[in-house]
Amino acid sequence: RQMCIRDSNPSVNIEQLLEEYEVKKKVEKSIKALEGQIEDASKMVLSDDLKCMKRVLRRLGFISKDEIVQLKGKVACEISASDEIIVTEIMFAGILNEMEPNEIAALLSVLVYDERTSSEASKLIVIKNERINKYLQKVIDIGKKIVKVYQESKINIDEQEYLDNIKPTLVEVTYAWCNGSRFQDICKMTECYEGTIIRVFRSCLLYTSDAADDLLCVDLGGRRIIKKK
């Protein structure tokens, strides 16, 4: 091989190439060693996070002390459109049992709307419906309880950042749509794009339906919650 190199390019310094090749091999070996250390460290972090998350699920009743999935956990597994923990807590708190379907859809819109919204902007949104406003406050209280459990379980989480995910931007819009308002009219009630509005409506329908097939839903307190397919 060296003869071929000399023949093709006499000016090539074979010794220098070999030295550079040895350096390359050492660097590659160091990279592999570092990657192994990173992987081991990641496993340790994931292991710690998993232990903390299991603690959260036990305290909230999603799993038992023996890590057996409870009813709450089974319901949470069927939720995909939003934060499954807070949605499950809302359902088991019995809040939805007190509400009409149009109110439920409007309330759940605060969890499925995920456009960027500052906490200051959310505070400026006025919800005219007093009943929905009351239930929204209950959802916020549940969110605070969940944050407290996270923090007690040694998971680093900022309360305000978590609560900022509860966004009332489309509550009035969703309520108007459920009450039969025309789509072109409700689009004038918000600055959100039409596609965003439709996506939020569809996500709300994944949760609530009085006409859901019994084989595709979970019955909780008289309300049927559609399972994801």
Side-chain angles (χ1 to χ4, degrees):
R1 185 177 179 183
Q2 292 179 4
M3 289 295 294
C4 292
I5 296 175
R6 285 197 181 95
D7 291 341
S8 61
N9 191 353
S11 63
V12 174
N13 187 325
I14 300 302
E15 287 75 15
Q16 182 180 350
L17 289 177
L18 289 173
E19 288 179 4
E20 292 176 353
Y21 179 74
E22 289 298 325
V23 171
K24 178 185 175 184
K25 295 295 289 182
K26 289 180 181 179
V27 170
E28 289 178 345
K29 187 176 180 180
S30 298
I31 291 173
K32 286 185 178 180
L34 289 172
E35 287 177 342
Q37 293 177 17
I38 292 172
E39 185 178 354
D40 291 340
S42 297
K43 287 179 179 178
M44 289 179 63
V45 171
L46 289 173
S47 177
D48 291 339
D49 287 346
L50 180 60
K51 289 179 182 177
C52 293
M53 197 61 209
K54 283 182 178 179
R55 194 176 297 123
V56 170
L57 296 177
R58 280 196 297 270
R59 292 186 179 186
L60 291 175
F62 285 70
I63 60 176
S64 67
K65 293 181 179 179
D66 300 321
E67 298 184 5
I68 298 174
V69 179
Q70 304 299 298
L71 179 58
K72 270 190 178 182
K74 293 178 181 178
V75 172
C77 288
E78 301 298 336
I79 297 171
S80 61
S82 178
D83 182 334
E84 60 273 14
I85 290 181
I86 191 169
V87 173
T88 303
E89 286 296 304
I90 289 170
M91 289 192 289
F92 278 81
I95 295 176
L96 304 184
N97 295 340
E98 307 168 5
M99 304 175 70
E100 296 301 319
N102 53 357
E103 295 174 335
I104 295 175
L107 181 67
L108 292 178
S109 71
V110 306
L111 300 175
V112 296
Y113 177 73
D114 57 5
E115 300 290 328
R116 279 186 172 274
T117 306
S118 65
S119 56
E120 290 77 14
S122 295
K123 291 177 182 177
L124 295 175
I125 297 173
V126 178
I127 299 177
K128 299 176 182 178
N129 188 300
E130 294 183 2
R131 277 175 54 84
I132 297 178
N133 206 17
K134 179 184 71 173
Y135 294 125
L136 174 59
Q137 187 55 54
K138 290 184 179 181
V139 170
I140 293 173
D141 291 340
I142 289 174
K144 290 179 179 179
K145 184 193 78 171
I146 293 172
V147 169
K148 185 178 180 181
V149 173
Y150 270 108
Q151 292 172 342
E152 290 174 349
S153 302
K154 298 182 180 180
I155 291 182
N156 187 22
I157 184 172
D158 181 76
E159 182 180 277
Q160 189 56 55
E161 185 177 339
Y162 184 83
L163 295 178
D164 282 346
N165 292 319
I166 302 173
K167 302 173 181 178
T169 307
L170 292 180
V171 168
E172 291 288 345
V173 173
T174 306
Y175 188 70
W177 171 68
C178 291
N179 287 330
S181 295
R182 295 186 303 173
F183 187 73
Q184 64 185 40
D185 292 332
I186 64 176
C187 286
K188 298 175 183 177
M189 298 171 60
T190 178
E191 296 180 355
C192 295
Y193 293 113
E194 290 88 343
T196 299
I197 297 173
I198 293 171
R199 179 168 52 80
V200 170
F201 289 170
R202 182 180 180 279
S203 296
C204 289
L205 287 174
L206 287 175
Y207 290 130
T208 59
S209 174
D210 288 334
D213 188 322
D214 288 335
L215 297 177
L216 296 176
C217 62
V218 178
D219 190 348
L220 293 174
R223 294 292 181 194
R224 288 185 286 182
I225 309 303
I226 297 178
K227 291 183 179 181
K228 66 179 182 180
K229 294 183 179 179

